[in-house]
């Protein structure tokens, strides 16, 4: 975290929830050095008078006068502090990276000491000049998504010449919501059946807008502009029968993103028990799931498809499938607020999905719950893609028994995911070139999109 030089001072514009915090009313107290120096000077003056040594008294009179002058000119009033998030900065709201905030310090202090911490860790200690008001830019680096603390600041005013200090202000803190960033994806898998009467993909149903389906004799209801005069001249030179070109209809894909928020584990297995929090510089499995879901949502929505969002860990109303830029914003905000909420209740049946939807499940697959739900969706006829979001694990520093437990867990997880593949669920590991794996899934079927749709 750094505290760079801010732009020129401007009048503070605090919102209702960013009201400045002032120190409790109280006197400005002298610092310990001034108190000790004043006491020594008084002792020297008394000794000079008692011992008839005017030189000693004169030697102590000068510093004593300066100390008294500093105490008489100490400021009056309290120091106010406010910390607000910078809404205008794209990084503060648009993805993991730099979080920006602005610290407002105002009051009669000439100087102020600012101590900042983030997530309980010391960040920066600086001495800044106030002179009525000062705006400080606060920048924090993060790899996490979701609700994030920008910083916690403690401020103490310092009077002229550093002779007096004000009472410390109460600690001020500010949080912001970091939306998951997106990764560019080129080719994406499609569901086995396409829906709708229009869209970006060519279906197998007859209609308009797609490629050539066949050439058929003209029937009542066919448009005259679809007459193929070359085929008609070749097959019916006397024009006793007309032939028209029939096309495939355009359709859209419906994609449902399902995030398993029950697990939020980091790359260090020793933090999985919950007694020790993951390090702030380590992205957890839920951070990867948010990024993966946001990337797929953006890629499908840019292609004109409809995307919805559901959560396996929390029973709340899902985000229904929709399209457009506002749908992407809605999904990213819902992903940012996705978090484990206590002990999840066991599901008797998987969530209901639209017919023919492509289901993408983002999970660590550390237990049978998410794998069982994905398998039931595959048995119901949906095309299911399982995205493994478990981070690359760090085994250094583990004891032998911890290493053995991790090995057993890894073998069980590998067997569970291999069983999913045997049941027809397609697997993608997000930590290993996800764009390439998704392209392979998109090209795996050697038939045109929507081949499973009825004619």
């Amino acid at each position: 975290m750094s505290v760079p030089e801010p732009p020129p001072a401007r009048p503070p514009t605090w919102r209702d929830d960013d009201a400045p915090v002032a120190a409790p009313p109280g006197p400005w107290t002298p610092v310990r050095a001034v108190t000790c120096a004043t006491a020594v000077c008084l002792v020297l003056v008394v000794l000079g008078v008692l011992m008839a040594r005017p030189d000693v008294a004169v030697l102590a009179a000068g510093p004593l006068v300066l100390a008294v002058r500093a105490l008489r000119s100490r400021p009056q009033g309290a120091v106010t502090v406010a910390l607000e998030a910078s809404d205008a900065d794209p990084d503060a709201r648009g993805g993991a990276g730099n979080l920006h905030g602005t610290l407002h310090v105002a009051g009669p202090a000439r100087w102020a000491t600012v101590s900042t911490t983030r997530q309980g860790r010391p960040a920066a200690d600086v001495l800044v000049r106030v002179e009525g008001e000062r705006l400080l830019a606060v920048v924090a680096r993060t790899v996490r998504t979701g609700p994030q603390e920008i910083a916690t600041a403690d401020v103490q005013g310092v009077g002229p010449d550093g002779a007096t200090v004000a009472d410390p202000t109460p600690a001020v803190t500010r949080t912001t919501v970091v939306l998951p960033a997106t990764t560019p994806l080129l080719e994406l898998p499609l569901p086995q059946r396409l829906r709708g009467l229009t869209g970006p993909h060519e279906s197998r149903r007859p209609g308009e807008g797609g490629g050539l389906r066949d050439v058929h004799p003209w029937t009542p209801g066919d448009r005259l502009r679809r007459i193929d005069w070359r085929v008609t001249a070749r097959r019916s030179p006397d024009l006793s029968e007309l032939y028209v070109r029939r096309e495939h209809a355009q359709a859209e894909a419906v994609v449902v993103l399902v995030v398993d928020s029950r697990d939020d584990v980091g790359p260090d297995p020793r933090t999985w028990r919950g007694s020790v929090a993951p390090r702030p510089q380590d992205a957890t499995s839920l951070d990867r799931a948010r990024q993966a879901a946001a990337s797929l949502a953006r890629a499908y929505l840019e292609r004109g498809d409809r995307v919805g969002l559901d959560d396996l860990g929390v029973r709340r109303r899902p985000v229904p499938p929709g399209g457009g830029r506002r749908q992407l914003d809605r999904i990213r905000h819902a992903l940012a607020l996705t978090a484990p909420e206590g002990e999840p209740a066991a599901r008797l049946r998987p969530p209901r999905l639209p017919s023919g939807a492509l289901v993408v499940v983002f999970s660590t697959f550390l237990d049978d719950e998410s794998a069982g739900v994905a398998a039931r969706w595959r048995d119901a006829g949906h095309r299911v893609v399982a995205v493994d979001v478990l981070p690359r694990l760090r085994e250094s520093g583990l004891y032998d028994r911890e290493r053995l437990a991790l090995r057993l867990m890894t073998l069980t997880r590998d067997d569970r995911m291999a069983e999913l593949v045997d049941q027809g669920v397609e697997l993608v590991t997000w930590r290993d070139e996800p764009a390439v794996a998704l392209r392979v899934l998109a090209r795996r079927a050697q038939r045109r999109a929507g081949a499973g749709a009825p004619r």
Side-chain angles (χ1 to χ4, degrees), residues 37-47 60 64:
T38 304
V40 171
C41 291
L42 287 174
V43 171
L44 290 178
V45 169
V46 172
L47 289 178
L64 182 61

Side-chain angles (χ1 to χ4, degrees), residues 249-300:
Q250 296 290 101
E252 62 184 3
V254 177
V255 182
V256 178
L257 309 176
V258 182
V259 178
D260 184 6
S261 65
R262 297 175 301 124
D263 296 328
D264 188 12
V265 296
D268 189 356
R270 293 174 296 183
T271 63
W272 291 5
R273 293 175 295 182
S275 57
V276 179
R279 296 189 302 179
Q281 59 269 28
D282 291 337
T284 63
S285 61
L286 193 54
D287 294 326
R288 291 178 177 270
R290 294 187 184 117
Q291 180 189 12
S295 301
L296 285 174
R298 180 174 184 175
Y300 278 111

Side-chain angles (χ1 to χ4, degrees), residues 113-399:
T113 59
V114 181
S115 300
T116 56
T117 59
R118 188 169 186 270
Q119 298 180 353
R121 300 172 180 266
D125 294 318
V126 294
L127 177 65
V128 297
R129 191 178 184 90
V130 179
E131 293 291 315
E133 182 190 357
R134 184 68 182 270
L135 305 182
L136 301 175
V138 182
V139 183
R141 180 70 180 176
T142 181
V143 297
R144 300 286 185 85
T145 55
Q148 293 286 314
E149 176 189 3
I150 298 178
T152 299
D154 298 279
V155 180
Q156 185 175 24
V158 180
D161 301 325
T164 56
V165 293
D167 293 336
T169 63
V172 292
T173 185
R174 178 59 54 188
T175 59
T176 186
V177 177
V178 181
L179 302 182
T182 57
T183 301
L185 302 174
L186 300 178
E187 299 185 40
L188 300 173
L190 294 175
Q192 297 176 354
R193 299 182 61 183
L194 300 177
R195 301 182 59 184
L197 300 178
T198 184
H201 310 290
E202 181 180 312
S203 68
R204 300 295 293 177
R205 301 190 307 271
E208 297 182 4
L212 177 64
R213 183 171 185 264
D214 59 9
V215 178
H216 192 270
W218 183 88
T219 58
D222 290 337
R223 298 183 179 180
L224 296 180
R225 64 183 181 87
R226 293 189 176 276
I227 298 177
D228 192 327
W229 294 106
R230 292 185 179 181
V231 177
T232 299
R234 185 172 59 253
R235 293 186 179 183
S236 179
D238 57 352
L239 300 181
S240 60
E241 191 173 20
L242 300 178
Y243 289 87
V244 296
R245 297 169 58 91
R246 297 196 301 184
E247 300 174 347
H248 290 284
Q250 296 290 101
E252 62 184 3
V254 177
V255 182
V256 178
L257 309 176
V258 182
V259 178
D260 184 6
S261 65
R262 297 175 301 124
D263 296 328
D264 188 12
V265 296
D268 189 356
R270 293 174 296 183
T271 63
W272 291 5
R273 293 175 295 182
S275 57
V276 179
R279 296 189 302 179
Q281 59 269 28
D282 291 337
T284 63
S285 61
L286 193 54
D287 294 326
R288 291 178 177 270
R290 294 187 184 117
Q291 180 189 12
S295 301
L296 285 174
R298 180 174 184 175
Y300 278 111
L301 289 173
E302 287 180 349
R303 287 165 171 77
D305 296 321
R306 300 172 61 210
V307 181
L309 178 66
D310 204 346
D311 189 354
L312 284 181
V314 181
R315 294 188 178 182
R316 61 166 60 99
R317 185 176 181 182
V319 178
R325 178 65 186 179
R326 295 188 62 183
Q327 180 72 0
L328 177 59
D329 296 338
R330 189 180 300 112
I331 290 177
R332 292 181 65 193
H333 188 267
L335 287 171
L337 299 181
T338 300
E341 298 183 7
E343 184 68 21
R347 290 182 176 269
L348 300 179
R349 59 180 180 84
R352 300 182 61 182
L353 301 176
S355 175
L358 170 66
V359 187
V360 186
V361 183
F362 305 88
S363 176
T364 58
F365 299 99
L366 292 176
D367 56 14
D368 296 329
E369 179 69 21
S370 56
V373 172
R376 287 196 290 271
W377 276 328
R378 184 66 187 93
D379 295 339
H382 297 280
R383 185 179 183 182
V384 182
V385 178
V387 180
D388 178 19
V389 294
L390 185 68
R392 198 178 302 277
L393 302 181
R394 290 196 302 261
E395 300 184 12
S396 59
L398 297 179
Y399 295 108

Side-chain angles (χ1 to χ4, degrees), residues 82-129:
L83 179 61
E84 62 179 10
S86 299
D87 297 338
D89 188 86
D91 290 339
R93 302 286 181 178
N98 291 332
L99 303 181
H100 293 255
T102 303
L103 181 66
H104 301 258
V105 181
R110 179 168 298 181
W111 300 85
T113 59
V114 181
S115 300
T116 56
T117 59
R118 188 169 186 270
Q119 298 180 353
R121 300 172 180 266
D125 294 318
V126 294
L127 177 65
V128 297
R129 191 178 184 90

Side-chain angles (χ1 to χ4, degrees), residues 393 395 398 400-414:
L393 302 181
E395 300 184 12
L398 297 179
D400 292 339
R401 61 179 182 273
E402 295 174 340
R403 200 181 306 273
L404 177 60
L406 180 62
R407 179 61 177 167
L408 294 177
M409 183 276 299
T410 303
L411 291 176
T412 304
R413 179 174 173 272
D414 292 342

